[in-house]
Amino acid sequence: MPLNPGTKLGPYEILAPLGAGGMGEVYKAADTRLNRTVAIKVLPRHFSEDREMKQRFEREAQTIAALNHPNICMLFDVGRQGDIDFLVMEHLEGETLAQRIERGPLPLDEALKVAVGIADALDKAHRKGVTHRDLKPGNIMLTAGGVKLLDFGLAKLKEQAQSDGSTPAPAGPNTTTPGTILGTMQYMAPEQLEGREADARTDIFAFGAILYEAISGKRAFMGKSQAHLIAAIVSADPEPLSKTQPMTPPALEFVVQRCLVKDPEQRVQTAWDLVCELQWIAQGGTEAGIPAPLAALRQRRARLARLAFAVAAVIAVIIAIPAFLQMRSTQTVLEARFLMMVSDMPVPEAAAIAPDGRRVAYSASDGRGTVLFVRSLNSETPLKLMGTEGAAGLFWSPDSRQIAFFANGKLRKVEATGGPPQDIANTPDMQGGTWSVEDIILFATSKGLMSVRAVGGDPQPVEVSQGLVPQSPYFLPDGEHYLFSSSKDEPAIYVGLLGSTESTRLVAARSNGVYADPGYLLYHREGTLYAHAFNPGRQALSGNAIRIADKVPYSTAGAAAFSASHTGTLIFRSTPEEITPGVTATAVPSLPLVWVDRSGRVLEQLAPAAGWAGVDISPTNANRIAAHRHDGNGGDVWIFEPGESTPAKFTFDSAQDNSTPVWTPDGRQVAFGSRRNGKWGIYIKLADNTRDEVLLLESDDPVAPMSWTPKGDALVYWAGSPKTLGDIWRLPIDGEKKPQPLLNTSADERHPQLSPDGRWLAYSSNETGRSEVYVRPYPEGTKIQISANGGVFPRWGVGSRELYFMNLVSAGDLMVSEIRVDGASIQKRDPRVMFSSGFFTSAHSGGPYPAYAVSPDGRRFLIPQIASPVTIFTGRGSVVGIDPSAVIADVAADRHASSSPAASPYAPINVVLNWTTSLNKD
């Protein structure tokens, strides 16, 4: 039964019917949420119980969702209301190709334009393993914006594993009985009529029939009956195009004939071949590809045109010079700016614009982990690149067709239009990379600068000037010289040369360097982006730096959130406006506190959604929990007792910023941090709340308890300082209680955790320019590095045999490294991913609190289940980090005195077109 105007399907209101076919009815509808017109395709009710038809309908949704192309109708939504299944698609204004052909053949230039668009769309579908199987003029829409391919209801997907390890929708034998004929007969290939397997070449036959009809105005195959029609398709050739359209170029007629070959092995094999041949013909091809009368006519016209142009040019120059001199000072290309909205983008600098300026690639969370997305500047819909889980450190190929990235210990590359990623090289970590016009990839690691061919191979070390620690390489246009930064001694940007150890210092800045045409070096100082005139041939700067943007977020390694194309487009991210010190930039997320197993599967919810932050598990009872809950302007500590459905308050004044609870080894007391009367302090209190708390330590600088010695005779804590950023100290509980430094360097050390046997201290430090996890003997000794690609929040488990931590660049992948103690030394195995926690870790080293807790047997993990990180805290006017604990607000103000502001994961990308046009304006 048709739907009447006014019928509601969720937020969509039916306006009018548009058409109907074997696979469903299509209606014009209004999207009441976004105030736009859409098209809704409804599966007929009598098909709802038909398993095969339901599968085809679902397959169409999956197929369209997997395709993102300007010539393919866009899918917006899938829904079901009552017994009605429906698809919500882009509403297209125009006419079908079938309607257009009814008025007569298309002019050659128009037919070629339509053909290129269809072939390009087919190429996209075929590369995704999708065969349309019902290609016909009625499924092709001609709109003001170009041609659009519709109706994938009979599409077939290849039976192959997807890049994400999943299996595609059932196809072929699983959904269609062998020998079944699917599609519209006039455009079927012989193999379809014979019930044989259809593939991409089947679509190419249909494409040839459509192009023949568009040019000639007649169908390629006709018959008085169905039997005659089948016989014509299987055994007859259509009348030559040149007979009905004499001006058809022989090259075009040859392409159509090759598409209509009966044997698929002799047919045009790929849609990409069609795109290339048709574009060549549309651009003129060669004169040999044009009929003789037309070729002669074109030659005569060309000679006359050249003569006329020569005469006119002389006259025009004489007339135009004064006018040009008068006008050129006022005619300029205008700069244009807009915002590209993105979400769940944990690492602010993980975005790059393609060299051709058409697309932006960025690394963001899809709810399960970090993956790559690509978005065209003229599109609102990003394309998710499957198989790029854990992607970080992305950069483009010079031809803007591929993206290189780091994931799971490998340097990889993927087509910007999608497809399975390919491995380039193994590498333990990566700190920036670049791709030259000679197909050489240069990338920085903790072991130094490496190079490798883009096709893959073993990385080779690249020597630089002695004493420099290269990061963030960037090739200059010649493909031999490259920019790089070094943070050792005085941070600066340098120019290096492949095959030489010599380097040229350009400018003092703790920043990545980016070259932008027509001759600028882009870099930042303390979050302010500058453009400095730069000659890449002489490797020299000139003039003064020009300020471009403020509040650009950057990591401790100096890499900042900006990128530039070769076509005058600049992108950058920026932090929110200045916020009152100690106040959150966005609301603290309300999140449940959950138990998960070693695979990340949620076992149970301990507490409903609230501002849960630092957590700790009692060493004597794994079901006894201390947790900090942030409420508005401060927070309190709560205790979860076994068998109780609700927690009990442990501290009672959230304005004192009570936080970071840590159980004593006997499980009787809890130490916590608090700020009272302008002083920071560490307090201890009986867990049953029968006595008042006792002050253990008072400080002018932020402090937070972190870990106890096994005997409980000393407390290891974190201390912030304007001079040393973050340090690790030891506080004896007996005697004078005089604090003793354990790690007191110029680097930012934090997250100290003593092993259960008390022999080893795990902690994080950014001494290499990025936060990594280390282990060293307690109280002193030589350290070893545990993490390979950034790490924060170490935690011990299973005695002292496992060490867990969060990966810094993948939105909180929980990692584990197996530890083996051999006498006085410690050995570790390479870290591996356990699961994606969804917990956001910023590009710097995270807050000084226990973000999650581990049961003593290492089988369960307690963590706020964060799906979309949003909280940014400030301290004394600067955005400083991600942390749902009020302690971070003022802590980070000190530790980030020389570090970075962080961008909200929801901060948009600023896009500036023709950005150089305003550089010389006041």
Side-chain angles (χ1 to χ4, degrees), residues 440-443 447-452 459-465 470 482 496-501:
I440 297 293
I441 288 180
L442 201 60
F443 62 100
K447 297 181 179 179
L449 204 58
M450 311 294 288
S451 70
V452 66
Q460 302 298 316
V462 176
E463 299 295 331
V464 297
S465 300
Y482 58 92
L497 174 64
L498 292 178
S500 172
T501 59

Side-chain angles (χ1 to χ4, degrees), residues 413-724:
K413 63 181 178 181
V414 65
E415 293 284 339
T417 55
Q422 302 174 48
D423 294 342
I424 299 175
N426 294 322
T427 176
D429 63 295
M430 195 175 79
Q431 299 169 16
T434 183
W435 193 327
S436 80
V437 292
E438 302 297 331
D439 268 347
I440 297 293
I441 288 180
L442 201 60
F443 62 100
T445 74
S446 56
K447 297 181 179 179
L449 204 58
M450 311 294 288
S451 70
V452 66
R453 297 289 303 181
V455 295
D458 294 326
Q460 302 298 316
V462 176
E463 299 295 331
V464 297
S465 300
Q466 189 173 7
L468 297 180
V469 181
Q471 294 175 317
S472 304
Y474 190 95
F475 270 116
L476 293 177
D478 64 5
E480 296 182 351
H481 289 87
Y482 58 92
L483 303 168
F484 69 93
S485 62
S486 177
S487 58
K488 190 170 183 180
D489 299 327
E490 183 184 7
I493 298 174
Y494 296 81
V495 175
L497 174 64
L498 292 178
S500 172
T501 59
E502 296 182 0
S503 58
T504 303
R505 182 178 180 276
L506 290 179
V507 63
R510 189 183 184 89
S511 170
N512 51 320
V514 170
Y515 172 77
D517 287 327
Y520 291 97
L521 173 67
L522 293 169
Y523 62 93
H524 77 89
R525 281 199 184 100
E526 297 300 322
T528 295
L529 181 62
Y530 294 94
H532 205 145
F534 175 63
N535 186 318
R538 294 189 293 108
Q539 293 90 53
L541 297 170
S542 61
N544 297 317
I546 303 170
R547 185 176 180 179
I548 301 296
D550 294 322
K551 302 186 183 73
V552 177
Y554 57 98
S555 69
T556 52
F562 66 89
S563 175
S565 75
H566 297 326
T567 57
T569 301
L570 170 70
I571 68 168
F572 62 90
R573 297 185 79 198
S574 56
T575 60
E577 293 298 318
E578 294 293 339
I579 306 165
T580 305
V583 179
T584 59
T586 58
V588 175
S590 182
L591 304 161
L593 191 60
V594 298
W595 284 105
V596 301
D597 63 15
R598 291 175 70 91
S599 67
R601 179 173 61 93
V602 175
L603 300 174
E604 64 174 305
Q605 179 176 294
L606 179 67
W612 301 110
V615 293
D616 200 40
I617 300 173
S618 169
T620 59
N621 189 330
N623 292 313
R624 202 176 189 201
I625 313 298
H628 162 249
R629 193 177 82 184
H630 188 78
D631 297 297
N633 294 323
D636 273 313
V637 175
W638 297 70
I639 302 292
F640 294 81
E641 296 288 357
E644 297 291 335
S645 59
T646 57
K649 239 183 178 184
F650 184 65
T651 60
F652 297 91
D653 188 352
S654 62
Q656 294 174 342
D657 292 335
N658 303 298
S659 61
T660 60
V662 180
W663 290 90
T664 55
D666 61 8
R668 297 180 63 244
Q669 301 181 85
V670 176
F672 60 94
S674 186
R675 182 175 59 175
R676 305 179 183 184
N677 300 319
K679 293 280 190 178
W680 289 90
I682 296 177
Y683 296 79
I684 191 169
K685 185 180 180 182
L686 286 172
D688 59 11
N689 250 330
T690 56
R691 296 183 186 176
D692 292 338
E693 66 260 21
V694 175
L695 177 64
L696 296 179
L697 174 71
E698 191 172 61
S699 172
D700 291 328
D701 296 318
V703 289
M706 294 301 298
S707 185
W708 288 92
T709 57
K711 295 181 180 180
D713 56 353
L715 175 66
V716 175
Y717 68 95
W718 175 89
S721 167
K723 294 181 179 179
T724 59

Side-chain angles (χ1 to χ4, degrees), residues 16-323:
L18 290 177
M23 280 301 298
E25 303 157 348
V26 183
Y27 297 86
K28 181 179 180 180
D31 184 342
T32 58
R33 294 173 305 179
L34 300 179
N35 193 26
R36 64 180 174 183
T37 302
V38 297
I40 290 185
K41 183 173 184 177
V42 176
L43 181 67
R45 285 187 173 90
H46 62 278
F47 283 161
S48 296
E49 301 302 322
D50 186 316
R51 180 174 176 271
E52 182 177 335
M53 299 307 293
K54 188 75 176 292
Q55 283 182 336
R56 290 181 186 173
F57 190 85
E58 293 171 351
R59 185 167 67 252
E60 180 177 12
Q62 296 168 359
T63 303
I64 300 175
L67 304 176
N68 183 15
H69 191 278
N71 298 119
I72 296 177
C73 183
M74 187 181 302
L75 176 69
F76 291 146
D77 197 6
V78 179
R80 179 180 176 86
Q81 180 154 316
D83 59 350
I84 299 177
D85 295 282
F86 60 92
L87 305 179
V88 183
M89 297 177 292
E90 180 182 8
H91 179 257
L92 301 173
E93 296 283 354
E95 62 180 350
T96 66
L97 180 58
Q99 293 169 330
R100 171 61 186 84
I101 293 174
E102 287 179 357
R103 303 200 311 268
L106 278 67
L108 281 177
D109 57 348
E110 183 181 348
L112 281 168
K113 185 177 180 180
V114 170
V116 170
I118 300 170
D120 203 19
L122 285 176
D123 176 60
K124 174 67 175 182
H126 293 167
R127 287 174 185 265
K128 290 286 188 178
V130 176
T131 304
H132 192 285
R133 295 202 298 183
D134 194 23
L135 200 62
K136 58 186 178 182
N139 283 339
I140 297 166
M141 180 70 75
L142 307 180
T143 74
V147 62
K148 292 278 187 176
L149 184 55
L150 316 175
D151 203 348
F152 282 78
L154 299 182
K156 183 177 81 71
L157 280 73
K158 284 184 180 179
E159 286 293 332
Q160 62 183 20
Q162 300 299 295
S163 55
D164 61 355
S166 63
T167 301
N174 293 328
T175 56
T176 303
T177 304
T180 300
I181 296 177
L182 296 176
T184 303
M185 190 162 291
Q186 253 110 4
Y187 309 96
M188 285 185 182
E191 61 266 28
Q192 275 181 294
L193 294 173
E194 295 168 2
R196 288 186 283 148
E197 188 74 5
D199 59 19
R201 297 169 299 181
T202 305
D203 284 348
I204 289 174
F205 186 96
F207 173 88
I210 292 169
L211 184 53
Y212 181 97
E213 186 174 347
I215 295 171
S216 67
K218 300 190 302 181
R219 289 180 175 173
F221 304 98
M222 291 182 288
K224 295 179 180 179
S225 66
Q226 191 177 78
H228 283 92
L229 177 60
I230 292 174
I233 295 173
V234 173
S235 60
D237 292 324
E239 186 178 60
L241 278 173
S242 56
K243 187 172 181 179
T244 56
Q245 294 292 340
M247 303 305 292
T248 303
L252 179 58
E253 184 164 29
F254 180 69
V255 168
V256 175
Q257 289 173 349
R258 287 190 61 218
C259 290
L260 296 176
V261 172
K262 311 302 181 183
D263 184 357
E265 296 296 330
Q266 303 300 319
R267 203 175 294 155
V268 176
Q269 296 295 293
T270 70
W272 178 245
D273 291 337
L274 283 175
V275 172
C276 296
E277 292 185 38
L278 291 170
Q279 286 180 336
W280 176 76
I281 295 170
Q283 293 166 2
T286 66
E287 294 298 326
I290 303 173
L294 183 59
L297 178 62
R298 286 193 179 182
Q299 291 171 357
R300 288 195 297 272
R301 286 179 176 175
R303 287 195 296 268
L304 291 173
R306 286 194 293 269
L307 177 62
F309 179 81
V311 175
V314 175
I315 299 172
V317 168
I318 296 173
I319 297 174
I321 287 177

